[in-house]
């Protein structure tokens, strides 16, 4: 970080503050919305889908933003997105005026969908700009942003629960939505424009998008991202009902949602530094998946363990979950950018938008599945048995990642560091590095053919 330019520092600070405020608004309703929805007559399945539809929308629209990133301009997409999130957050605070169950849930869906469209625009464009501005330290820069996102996950439920206890349903949305609106104004005024404006270059083609998804390493990364986000989404919708028998106050319940977010915030820079300098991102992914398995074994705890639900056991499990969750997310983002560039994609904004769109979309898919299916499982089999399925999913992530590495799945880290700049400046050199005559590696066979990827620009 000591070698960052003034432009890089401004970009990182602006996005970190905006990411913090965005996370606050996304997470503030977790401690009290389920109980408020039940007062209106809604079931766990219904309010679980309210949480989930946000992420389903992000899943659907993120690839669109990624594909048209160069054409529309990342700064425009970013500004429009963050303004939309702030306005929708404030509007969500007035839904308690609706007493009818159908109206309350229906308008909750509508507001969350529009909010999600804005969130996808902000996140995808921010990640694309970060990848472009920090070519030598993508992992560290992304981890810094995610640290502030984790801090937002701490502040959101805590302050949200406190404001709800102080002034009712509307107050937390009005106050924190207003803070996000101020952050949107700061982003609009302070974000550097050079390199973040629209260009006349063609957007990423559908063929390039599908070619990236055919890479075995990208498929594996998407599976890991989805599984990680399933775990956090599952807890978002089901943790409050699970802890309800402990009779915690709204403030204390909010603090429970702080634990994995705070751990994630504290450990994310370490995972980014590790992936940039020392360890294969896939090794970090496998480690993180094993840690999440441990966390979900005890957060219930699992029904076949001779343990009872206790506050101390839940606290410890949530802290452990934050460690594993952070390892999975940071490593997959850093590794995915290396993989696609080293596999022959151009080292430019269109590729950064492509990868950011894939990452954001698959993360959102898991965040949709987590609370949506979590709510159904909560009604059907209960929290403890549901945690068994989440743990089994992460065990599969760890095993599949380990098998891929054992069977010779290459890590393009060294190739990436050599070609990251040459692809943009000397295509002949980049081509010779990417396509050696005798290359029979995973990437040579799966992702580097001219037929699959098309010509290097």
């Amino acid at each position: 970080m000591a070698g960052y330019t003034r432009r890089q520092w401004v970009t990182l600070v602006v996005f970190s503050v905006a990411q913090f405020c965005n996370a606050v608004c996304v997470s503030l309703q977790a401690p009290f919305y389920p109980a408020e929805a039940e007062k209106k007559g809604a079931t766990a399945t219904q309010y679980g889908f309210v949480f989930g539809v946000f992420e389903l929308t992000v899943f659907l629209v993120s690839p669109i933003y990624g594909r048209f990133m160069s054409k529309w301009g990342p700064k425009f997409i970013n500004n429009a997105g963050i303004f939309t999130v702030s306005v929708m957050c404030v509007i969500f605070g007035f839904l308690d005026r609706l007493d009818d169950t159908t109206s309350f849930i229906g308008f909750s869906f509508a507001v969350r969908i529009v909010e999600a469209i804005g969130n996808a625009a902000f996140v995808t464009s921010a990640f694309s700009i970060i990848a472009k501005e920090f070519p030598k330290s993508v992992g560290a820069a992304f981890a810094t942003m995610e640290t502030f996102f984790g801090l937002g996950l701490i502040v959101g439920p805590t302050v949200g629960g406190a404001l709800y206890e102080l002034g009712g349903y509307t107050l937390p949305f009005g106050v924190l939505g207003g803070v996000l609106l101020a952050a949107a104004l700061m982003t609009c005024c302070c974000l550097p424009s050079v390199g973040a404006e629209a260009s006349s270059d063609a957007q990423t083609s559908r063929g390039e998008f599908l070619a990236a998804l055919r890479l075995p390493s990208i498929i594996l990364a998407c599976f890991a991202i989805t599984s990680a986000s399933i775990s956090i989404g599952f807890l978002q919708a089901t943790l409050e009902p699970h802890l309800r028998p402990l009779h915690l106050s709204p403030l204390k319940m909010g603090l429970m949602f702080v634990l994995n977010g705070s751990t994630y915030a504290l450990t994310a820079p370490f995972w980014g530094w590790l992936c940039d300098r020392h360890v294969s991102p896939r090794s970090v992914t496998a480690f993180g998946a094993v840690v999440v398995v441990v966390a979900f074994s005890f957060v219930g705890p699992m029904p076949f363990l001779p343990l009872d639900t206790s506050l101390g056991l839940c606290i410890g499990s949530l802290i452990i979950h934050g460690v594993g969750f952070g390892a999975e997310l940071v490593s997959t983002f850093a590794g995915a950018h290396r993989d696609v560039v080293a596999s022959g994609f151009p080292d430019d904004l269109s590729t950064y938008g492509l990868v950011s769109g894939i990452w954001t979309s698959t993360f959102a898919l898991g965040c949709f599945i987590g609370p949506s299916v979590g709510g159904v499982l909560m009604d059907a089999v209960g929290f403890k048995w549901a945690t068994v399925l989440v743990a089994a999913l992460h065990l599969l992530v760890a095993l599949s990642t380990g098998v891929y590495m054992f069977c010779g799945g290459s890590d393009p880290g060294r190739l990436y560091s050599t070609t990251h700049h040459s692809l943009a400046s000397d295509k002949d050199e980049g081509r010779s590095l990417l396509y050696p005559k005798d290359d029979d590696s995973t990437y040579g066979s799966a992702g580097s053919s001219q037929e699959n990827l098309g010509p290097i620009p």
Side-chain angles (χ1 to χ4, degrees):
M1 283 192 173
Y4 287 175
T5 65
R6 182 181 181 275
R7 173 192 170 104
Q8 288 176 319
W9 275 115
V10 170
T11 301
L12 190 60
V13 170
V14 167
F15 278 138
S16 295
V17 173
Q19 184 79 315
F20 169 80
C21 297
N22 181 56
V24 167
C25 290
V26 167
S27 62
L28 70 91
Q29 65 267 50
F32 57 85
Y33 182 80
E36 194 74 27
E38 289 184 2
K39 291 179 183 178
K40 307 291 185 181
T43 65
T45 299
Q46 289 175 314
Y47 62 71
F49 275 107
V50 171
F51 283 103
V53 74
F54 180 95
E55 304 299 344
L56 177 62
T57 305
V58 175
F59 166 70
L60 294 174
V61 303
S62 292
I64 298 174
Y65 291 129
R67 182 179 177 186
F68 292 94
M69 188 66 61
S70 295
K71 184 176 182 180
W72 295 344
K75 185 173 182 178
F76 169 77
I77 294 174
N78 187 275
N79 292 337
I82 196 169
F83 272 107
T84 301
V85 174
S86 60
V87 172
M88 289 301 106
C89 180
V90 174
I91 292 176
F92 200 85
F94 292 93
L95 297 184
D96 64 324
R97 273 66 171 174
L98 302 172
D99 295 323
D100 179 66
T101 303
T102 302
S103 298
F104 179 79
I105 294 297
F107 277 97
S108 294
F109 270 103
V111 174
R112 291 286 280 178
I113 288 171
V114 178
E115 185 180 21
I117 292 173
N119 182 77
F122 164 67
V123 173
T124 305
S125 58
F127 288 170
S128 300
I129 295 173
I130 285 293
K132 180 179 183 297
E133 292 292 327
F134 299 87
K136 296 182 180 179
S137 54
V138 173
F142 172 77
T144 300
M145 282 184 58
E146 289 303 287
T147 294
F148 282 87
F149 182 81
L151 292 174
L153 294 180
I154 298 171
V155 174
T158 306
V159 177
L163 291 174
Y164 176 78
E165 195 171 1
L166 178 65
Y169 183 84
T170 302
L171 186 62
F173 293 100
V175 171
L176 298 178
V179 172
L180 180 60
L181 184 59
L185 293 172
M186 180 198 71
T187 302
C188 183
C189 296
C190 299
L191 183 66
S193 296
V194 179
E197 67 278 357
S199 69
S200 58
D201 296 338
Q203 67 270 11
T204 302
S205 70
R206 183 179 179 183
E208 289 175 317
F209 181 82
L210 296 176
L213 291 179
R214 283 198 296 266
L215 292 172
S217 59
I218 297 301
I219 295 173
L220 192 61
C222 288
F223 178 44
I225 296 165
T226 304
S227 301
S229 55
I230 282 175
S231 69
I232 194 69
F234 171 84
L235 291 174
Q236 184 184 40
T238 62
L239 184 62
E240 189 273 335
H242 172 61
L243 296 177
R244 202 174 294 164
L246 299 179
H247 303 293
L248 302 177
S249 68
L251 177 58
K252 291 181 179 179
M253 184 66 72
L255 290 173
M256 293 300 295
F257 286 87
V258 162
L259 295 171
N260 50 7
S262 60
T263 308
Y264 173 48
L266 291 172
T267 58
F270 170 74
W271 300 126
W273 171 79
L274 205 63
C275 291
D276 281 338
R277 299 284 182 254
H278 298 280
V279 178
S280 162
R282 276 187 277 274
S283 300
V284 178
T285 300
F287 172 79
V290 171
V291 173
V292 173
V293 171
V294 174
F296 271 81
S297 297
F298 295 99
V299 71
M302 287 185 178
F304 42 79
L305 294 178
L307 298 169
D308 296 323
T309 301
S310 68
L311 184 60
L313 197 61
C314 288
I315 290 174
S317 299
L318 291 172
I319 291 173
I320 293 172
H321 174 252
V323 174
F325 175 69
E328 287 182 293
L329 288 189
V330 174
S331 62
T332 49
F333 185 83
H337 280 86
R338 298 181 187 183
D339 291 344
V340 295
V341 172
S343 298
F345 285 78
D347 184 20
D348 58 18
L349 185 59
S350 65
T351 296
Y352 305 143
L354 170 68
V355 175
S356 298
I358 292 174
W359 192 95
T360 306
S361 182
T362 50
F363 180 84
L365 175 62
C367 286
F368 164 70
I369 295 172
S372 302
V373 177
V376 174
L377 292 174
M378 190 79 174
D379 287 337
V381 299
F383 184 86
K384 292 187 177 184
W385 279 109
T387 61
V388 176
L389 299 179
V390 179
L393 182 65
H394 281 82
L395 182 60
L396 186 58
V397 171
L399 290 175
S400 58
T401 303
V403 169
Y404 179 83
M405 295 173 65
F406 179 78
C407 292
S410 60
D411 187 337
R414 294 180 181 177
L415 179 61
Y416 171 83
S417 62
T418 304
T419 64
H420 189 55
H421 297 288
S422 67
L423 280 170
S425 58
D426 189 339
K427 300 305 177 183
D428 293 334
E429 180 187 354
R431 188 183 303 276
S432 66
L433 288 167
L434 288 169
Y435 306 117
K437 294 181 180 180
D438 299 322
D439 180 23
D440 60 353
S441 66
T442 300
Y443 294 98
S445 60
S448 61
S449 70
Q450 295 284 11
E451 292 180 359
N452 287 343
L453 297 179
I456 296 179

